[in-house]
Amino acid sequence: MSPHRPTQRDLDPHLHRYARRTAGMTASEIRALFAVAGRPEVVSLAGGMPYLPALPLDSLAEELAQLVLTDGMTALQYGSAQGTPALRERICEVMALEGIRAHPDDVTVTVGSQMALDMVTRIFCDPGDVVLAEAPSYVGALSTFASYQAQVVQVPMDDDGLVPEALDAVLGALRAQGRTPKFLYTIPNFHNPAGVTLPVARRAEVLRLCAEHRVLIVEDNPYGLLGFDGQIYPAMRASTPDNVVYLGSFSKTFAPGLRVGWALAPHAVREKLVLAAESATLCPPTFTQFVVSRYLAAYDWKGQIKNYREAYRQRRDAMLAALAQYLPPGCRWTHPAGGFYVWLTVPEGLDTKAMLPRAVSYRVAYVPGTAFYAERTDSPGPSPTDAFPGDTFPAGRLMRLSFCYPTPERITEGVRRLAAVLEHELELQRTFGSVRPRPMVGPQSPSPDTA
Amino acid sequence: MSPHRPTQRDLDPHLHRYARRTAGMTASEIRALFAVAGRPEVVSLAGGMPYLPALPLDSLAEELAQLVLTDGMTALQYGSAQGTPALRERICEVMALEGIRAHPDDVTVTVGSQMALDMVTRIFCDPGDVVLAEAPSYVGALSTFASYQAQVVQVPMDDDGLVPEALDAVLGALRAQGRTPKFLYTIPNFHNPAGVTLPVARRAEVLRLCAEHRVLIVEDNPYGLLGFDGQIYPAMRASTPDNVVYLGSFSKTFAPGLRVGWALAPHAVREKLVLAAESATLCPPTFTQFVVSRYLAAYDWKGQIKNYREAYRQRRDAMLAALAQYLPPGCRWTHPAGGFYVWLTVPEGLDTKAMLPRAVSYRVAYVPGTAFYAERTDSPGPSPTDAFPGDTFPAGRLMRLSFCYPTPERITEGVRRLAAVLEHELELQRTFGSVRPRPMVGPQSPSPDTA
C-alpha cells in the first residue's frame, strides 16, 4: 500500500483525458436514493415507467415467433440508418392522428426519442449556443443539452403551459444581446414534468413568435395520444412543416423496452439527422423496428392505446382524489388531462430535495423539482433570464409525482405517506422555523427512473 | 415561382443554424452507387453484412416466444442505462475466451459497438483533440471522430498490422509539438479494412509505447472469435486492464440487427460512459438484450461461431483463389486469417474510386480505399503525419473486398468481373497514359454497406 493519501487524480487516472463536456456529466445525488426507492415496500411516484400489464403478451409471443420464421434473415441483419421503409410508413399513419401530413422520406427512426433529441442537438448546437426550453423541462432533454454544452434558457409556464408573453420577452432579451436560440424545445401535450397542455390558441402564438424570431421548434410529443378524454390535439408540426422538428415515440403507446422513437424533420434537416445517426449507431435495431411494424399491422393498436388511456385515467383520478383528501393546506398541484405526471408545489419553507430522504424512510418516492431546471451557474456570461425577476419559480418547493406505474390503491397509499412526510416537515418548521431552501442544482442525469 | 436563382441557402433554410461539426457531415459520393450495387445482378464485395443463413431460425423463434411469455413485462420495459446485469455477466464469459478477466460492473451495453465508439469519443474528445488510428481504419470510426471534430492521425500498417516503429515516431513527433493523443484506436484482429492481424509480440510493444506516452488504447474487436483456424488471440485488454477500453459486439458472432455491443472500461471511465449513454438513449433496448442473453444461455453459441467461421473460411478461400487466378499482374492483396475483408492494391496508375462506376456497370462493387483515410485538409495546424514522408500510402490504388456475404460461387464470379474491369482500365492506361489519381477525400459517412 502506498502511504500517501489518495487524491481525486489517484482515484481516476484518466481524469486529465476527459473532454470539457464530460465535466458536466455527474451522477445525480438522488440516484442512490432511487436504488432504495426501487424496493417493493416503497411506493414509487418517481418513475416514468409505463404500465405494461395492459399489453397482450400471448399474441405478441405468437407474432414474434412468426416474425423470426418469415422475416428473420432481414430482421436480424443490418438495416438503413434512417430506419426501415415499412416502419416509417406506419409512423406517418400514427402521426396522421394529430393532423400531420408527412412523407416517410422525412422520418428518421431512432433508439427512443431520446436519441432523436441527442441527434437534433448534435447537428444544431455548438458549445455556448442557446436552447430554449420550458421551465420546468424534461430532465433527459436538459441532460442532452448539457452534454453538448448548450446554454439552456428556460421560459416560464403556467397552468396552460408555455406563456407566450414570457417567450416573447425572452426572445426579445436574447435579440437585444445579439443571440438567436438554436431552437425552442417544447412538450405541448401532457407535459413532463408539469402535466399541463398548451391550448390551441397558444400553439399558434408560439409558432408565430418563433417564426418571427427565426427560431426552430423541437416539438416533443411522447404522450399526445394519451389524453384521458380521447381528445387529440393538433401537432404544431401539422400547420408548420418547415419550422418544426417533431419527435415521437412508441415507448408510451406500445413498449419502451424496444426503444423505438423517431424524428420528423424538414427534408434538409433530415439528411443531416441521418448522417449523424449513422455515426452514432450505424442503424437503429432492425429487429425492434420489425416488431413494431408487425404489431401495428397485426394488432388493434388504437384499441391498445385506449386501454392504456383508461389505465392511466384511473390512476390520475386516484392521485388527484388522494391529493385533495390527504395533503395539508398550502399545497397546490396541476390537473393533467393526459400523460403520466402531476406537478406539486408544497407549502412555503419546505424543500422537496432536502426532505426526500425522509420520504423514502416513509416508503414513498418522488422526483424533486430541481431536477427539471438547468443549472445556471456555469452559463457563459450573464444569463438572459436574469432579466426576468418574475421568473423566481420556487423550484425547491416543487416535485413531480407520477401516476403511470403503481395501481390506484398503491397511489392512494403513496400520497397518504407523502402527506405524512409533509405534516412532519411542517411540524418541524413550526418548531424550529423555516429552513432556507438549498440552491438549485441541475440537471441531474436522467435515468428511466426519473424520465 | 420566384424568378431569382436558388442558392444553397434557399435549398436549406436551416443552413445558418447547424453546428460547426455538422459541416463535416456529408453523404459519401459513392452512396448513390451503392444503391445501384444493391441490385441482385451486382456481386457486392462492398458490404460488411454477416452471412445470417447460418442462424437456427426455428429454435430462435421458439425461444423468442417463450421469452415474451415468461419475461415480457421486464423485457419490454425501460432498463438500466448500463445494460441488464444478466447480459453483462454473459459478456464477461464471452470475453474470457480472449483471456480477459472482467467484472460485469465494468461493462456498458451499447447499441452496437458503434455507439460504444461514439460514447468513448464523446467523453474524451474536445474539438481539435488528436486521436490515433491505423492507416487505413474503420470508416465508421473515422466518421465518429469527425463528428466530434477530433483530428485523426493515422499510423502506417504492414502485413502484420500497426507498425510499432511508426507508432513510436508519431508519438514522438506529437510530443515534440506538445500534443498528447486522447487515445489510440486499433483493431488488432482481422482488421477492417486491411484484413491483417497484430502478432502477440507487437501487441506488447504497442501497449508499452502507449503506456510510456500515457495514451489510452481503444481496442475494437468485432471479429476476434472469427479466426479461421480457430486461434483466439489474447486481447490487449487482458494484460492491461487500466489502460485499455475494449469494444465488443454480437453483430458478427450472432446477429447485427439486434444492435448489441459493449464497452469494457476502467471503472472510473465506465461511470462516465454510462452517464453519456444515458443522455444519448436513456438505455439500450431491453428486449434485444434479453434476446442475446437467452440465446447465449439456451443455445450452443460457440458451435454457432464455429459454423460462422467455417462459412467465412470457405468464402475467404474462394476469394483468395479467384484473386490469384484472375487478377492481372501488379496487384497485391492481404491474406486474412479471419474476419470479413481482403485489402487489395491495384497496379500503379489506376484509381479505385474513379473506376467504381465502371465496376458497377460490370456488375461488381467494392469500397474504394480512400474511404478508410481521414481527410487531412481540415486539420487545424500542421498535420503531425506531415513529418513522415514515408507515409505516402497509395490510397487511390486501394480497395476493400469483403467475402462475408456472397456465396463462394458469387465471390469467384465477382472477382472475375473485377479482373475484367482492371484489364479494361489497364488497356485505357496503355492507350492514353496514366491518369493522375484524384486527391484523397474521406472519411465518407459509414453505412452498413461500407461498415
Side-chain angles (χ1 to χ4, degrees):
Chain A
M1 287 284 289
S2 162
H4 78 287
R5 265 164 90 203
T7 64
Q8 198 183 3
R9 185 168 294 267
D10 291 313
L11 291 174
D12 182 1
H14 306 280
L15 207 59
H16 63 288
R17 293 192 171 119
Y18 295 120
R20 282 185 289 273
R21 70 176 70 83
T22 308
M25 296 180 191
T26 49
S28 158
E29 306 159 43
I30 58 179
R31 195 170 291 222
L33 268 179
F34 281 123
V36 181
R39 291 188 192 154
E41 69 270 21
V42 175
V43 176
S44 178
L45 306 174
M49 297 200 300
Y51 173 71
L52 293 187
L55 275 178
L57 289 192
D58 284 358
S59 76
L60 262 181
E62 211 169 293
E63 291 293 336
L64 267 171
Q66 280 304 314
L67 164 59
V68 172
L69 291 174
T70 58
D71 297 319
M73 288 299 96
T74 319
L76 292 164
Q77 190 54 273
Y78 286 113
S80 137
Q82 192 180 351
T84 67
L87 180 58
R88 288 186 279 115
E89 273 179 38
R90 291 276 170 200
I91 284 171
C92 289
E93 291 169 25
V94 173
M95 292 190 295
L97 297 177
E98 296 170 335
I100 292 175
R101 289 174 56 188
H103 195 280
D105 271 1
D106 293 334
V107 174
T108 305
V109 179
T110 52
V111 182
S113 63
Q114 184 73 27
M115 178 179 166
L117 202 48
D118 192 67
M119 293 299 105
V120 167
T121 314
R122 181 179 297 201
I123 66 169
F124 286 117
C125 291
D126 284 313
D129 276 353
V130 173
V131 166
L132 302 181
E134 285 131 358
S137 188
Y138 167 51
V139 61
L142 297 177
S143 167
T144 296
F145 302 151
S147 86
Y148 287 94
Q149 300 161 279
Q151 185 191 349
V152 180
V153 175
Q154 288 183 279
V155 183
M157 305 174 81
D158 62 19
D159 285 346
D160 285 330
L162 191 64
V163 179
E165 294 72 25
L167 176 62
D168 194 21
V170 168
L171 286 167
L174 285 167
R175 177 178 279 180
Q177 294 177 19
R179 305 183 77 179
T180 305
K182 284 302 176 82
F183 54 80
L184 163 68
Y185 170 75
T186 178
I187 308 166
N189 298 314
F190 321 126
H191 191 272
N192 177 6
V196 297
T197 295
L198 198 68
V200 171
R202 277 201 183 179
R203 290 175 198 229
E205 189 64 5
V206 169
L207 284 164
R208 191 190 61 75
L209 285 168
C210 286
E212 183 188 315
H213 287 265
R214 302 194 68 197
V215 172
L216 185 71
I217 293 175
V218 177
E219 176 180 26
D220 192 5
N221 191 24
Y223 312 103
L225 299 180
L226 296 178
F228 302 141
D229 56 3
Q231 185 181 352
I232 298 176
Y233 286 82
M236 297 167 84
R237 163 59 175 76
S239 67
T240 313
D242 292 341
N243 203 41
V244 176
V245 175
Y246 174 101
L247 310 187
S249 172
F250 289 105
S251 290
K252 278 78 183 185
T253 54
F254 181 19
L258 301 169
R259 312 302 299 119
V260 180
W262 71 89
L264 170 68
H267 199 77
V269 173
R270 189 277 290 164
E271 284 181 10
K272 301 293 187 190
L273 280 179
V274 171
L275 290 169
E278 212 161 44
S279 85
T281 66
L282 280 189
C283 63
T286 321
F287 193 74
T288 55
Q289 294 179 76
F290 269 71
V291 171
V292 174
S293 286
R294 194 167 181 112
Y295 171 80
L296 293 175
Y299 194 73
D300 175 19
W301 59 273
K302 291 181 192 172
Q304 177 62 35
I305 291 177
K306 272 189 199 156
N307 294 344
Y308 275 134
R309 277 206 303 251
E310 184 52 23
Y312 296 133
R313 192 193 54 74
Q314 288 174 15
R315 285 161 170 72
R316 187 267 323 251
D317 290 347
M319 180 168 279
L320 292 181
L323 289 169
Q325 183 174 353
Y326 296 114
L327 253 50
C331 294
R332 67 176 291 268
W333 53 89
T334 55
H335 292 69
F340 284 10
Y341 307 109
V342 164
W343 188 233
L344 171 68
T345 312
V346 300
E348 208 166 323
L350 300 193
D351 178 344
T352 57
K353 189 165 177 181
M355 79 187 198
L356 184 58
R358 185 183 311 278
V360 172
S361 78
Y362 277 54
R363 291 168 298 133
V364 62
Y366 56 83
V367 183
T370 47
F372 305 96
Y373 293 85
E375 193 158 20
R376 292 180 188 180
T377 48
D378 64 356
S379 296
S383 165
T385 51
D386 290 347
F388 306 98
D391 177 28
T392 50
F393 228 67
R397 284 171 55 201
L398 292 161
M399 67 172 71
R400 190 190 75 176
L401 298 176
S402 64
F403 51 81
C404 43
Y405 194 72
T407 60
E409 296 68 32
R410 293 275 287 171
I411 288 172
T412 306
E413 173 60 20
V415 171
R416 212 186 50 75
R417 292 176 189 173
L418 180 64
V421 176
L422 291 172
E423 294 289 6
H424 186 104
E425 292 282 321
L426 287 167
E427 178 63 33
L428 279 178
Q429 193 190 29
R430 282 188 290 270
T431 312
F432 299 105
S434 172
V435 279
R436 192 183 148 69
R438 297 189 194 180
M440 287 201 295
V441 281
Q444 284 104 3
S445 184
S447 79
D449 250 342
T450 59
Chain B
M1 286 284 288
S2 162
H4 76 288
R5 268 166 87 204
T7 64
Q8 198 182 3
R9 185 168 296 267
D10 289 313
L11 292 173
D12 182 359
H14 306 280
L15 207 60
H16 62 289
R17 293 194 170 118
Y18 295 121
R20 281 185 288 275
R21 70 175 72 82
T22 308
M25 296 180 190
T26 49
S28 158
E29 305 158 46
I30 57 179
R31 195 171 291 220
L33 268 178
F34 282 124
V36 181
R39 292 187 192 155
E41 68 270 22
V42 175
V43 177
S44 178
L45 306 174
M49 297 201 299
Y51 173 71
L52 294 187
L55 275 178
L57 289 192
D58 284 358
S59 76
L60 263 181
E62 210 169 294
E63 290 294 336
L64 267 171
Q66 279 304 314
L67 164 59
V68 171
L69 291 174
T70 57
D71 297 319
M73 288 298 96
T74 318
L76 292 164
Q77 189 54 274
Y78 285 115
S80 138
Q82 192 180 352
T84 67
L87 179 58
R88 289 187 279 117
E89 273 179 36
R90 291 277 170 198
I91 284 171
C92 289
E93 291 169 25
V94 173
M95 291 190 296
L97 297 177
E98 296 170 336
I100 292 175
R101 290 173 55 188
H103 194 280
D105 271 2
D106 293 334
V107 174
T108 304
V109 179
T110 53
V111 181
S113 62
Q114 185 73 27
M115 178 179 166
L117 204 48
D118 192 66
M119 293 300 106
V120 167
T121 315
R122 181 179 297 200
I123 66 169
F124 285 118
C125 291
D126 285 312
D129 277 352
V130 173
V131 166
L132 302 181
E134 285 131 357
S137 187
Y138 167 51
V139 61
L142 297 178
S143 168
T144 296
F145 302 152
S147 86
Y148 287 94
Q149 300 162 279
Q151 183 191 352
V152 180
V153 175
Q154 289 184 278
V155 183
M157 305 174 82
D158 61 20
D159 285 347
D160 284 330
L162 191 65
V163 179
E165 294 72 24
L167 177 63
D168 193 21
V170 168
L171 286 167
L174 285 167
R175 176 177 279 179
Q177 293 177 19
R179 306 183 76 178
T180 305
K182 284 301 175 82
F183 54 80
L184 164 68
Y185 170 74
T186 178
I187 309 166
N189 298 315
F190 320 128
H191 190 271
N192 177 5
V196 297
T197 294
L198 198 69
V200 172
R202 277 201 182 178
R203 291 177 197 228
E205 189 64 6
V206 169
L207 284 164
R208 189 189 63 74
L209 285 168
C210 285
E212 184 188 313
H213 286 266
R214 301 195 68 199
V215 172
L216 185 71
I217 293 174
V218 177
E219 176 180 28
D220 191 6
N221 192 25
Y223 312 102
L225 299 180
L226 295 177
F228 301 140
D229 56 4
Q231 184 180 352
I232 298 176
Y233 286 82
M236 296 166 85
R237 163 59 174 76
S239 66
T240 314
D242 292 340
N243 202 42
V244 176
V245 175
Y246 174 100
L247 310 186
S249 171
F250 289 105
S251 291
K252 276 79 183 184
T253 54
F254 180 19
L258 301 169
R259 311 303 298 121
V260 180
W262 70 90
L264 169 68
H267 199 76
V269 173
R270 190 277 291 163
E271 284 180 10
K272 301 293 186 189
L273 280 178
V274 171
L275 290 169
E278 213 162 44
S279 85
T281 66
L282 279 189
C283 62
T286 321
F287 193 74
T288 55
Q289 293 179 75
F290 270 71
V291 171
V292 175
S293 286
R294 193 164 182 116
Y295 170 81
L296 293 175
Y299 193 74
D300 174 20
W301 59 273
K302 291 183 192 172
Q304 177 62 35
I305 290 177
K306 270 188 200 159
N307 293 344
Y308 275 134
R309 276 207 304 250
E310 183 53 23
Y312 296 131
R313 190 191 57 72
Q314 287 173 15
R315 286 160 168 73
R316 187 266 324 251
D317 289 348
M319 179 167 281
L320 291 182
L323 290 170
Q325 183 175 355
Y326 295 114
L327 253 49
C331 295
R332 66 175 291 269
W333 54 90
T334 55
H335 292 69
F340 285 10
Y341 307 109
V342 164
W343 189 232
L344 170 68
T345 311
V346 299
E348 209 164 322
L350 300 194
D351 179 345
T352 57
K353 190 167 178 180
M355 77 186 200
L356 183 58
R358 184 183 311 277
V360 172
S361 78
Y362 276 56
R363 292 169 296 133
V364 61
Y366 56 81
V367 183
T370 47
F372 306 96
Y373 293 85
E375 192 158 20
R376 293 181 186 177
T377 49
D378 63 356
S379 297
S383 165
T385 50
D386 292 346
F388 307 100
D391 177 28
T392 51
F393 226 69
R397 285 171 55 201
L398 292 160
M399 69 172 70
R400 190 188 76 176
L401 298 176
S402 64
F403 51 79
C404 43
Y405 194 72
T407 60
E409 296 69 31
R410 294 274 288 171
I411 288 172
T412 305
E413 174 58 21
V415 171
R416 213 185 50 75
R417 292 176 189 172
L418 180 65
V421 176
L422 291 172
E423 294 288 6
H424 185 104
E425 292 282 321
L426 288 168
E427 179 62 34
L428 278 180
Q429 193 191 29
R430 280 188 292 269
T431 311
F432 299 105
S434 173
V435 279
R436 189 181 150 73
R438 296 187 194 181
M440 285 202 296
V441 280
Q444 283 104 4
S445 185
S447 79
D449 250 343
T450 60

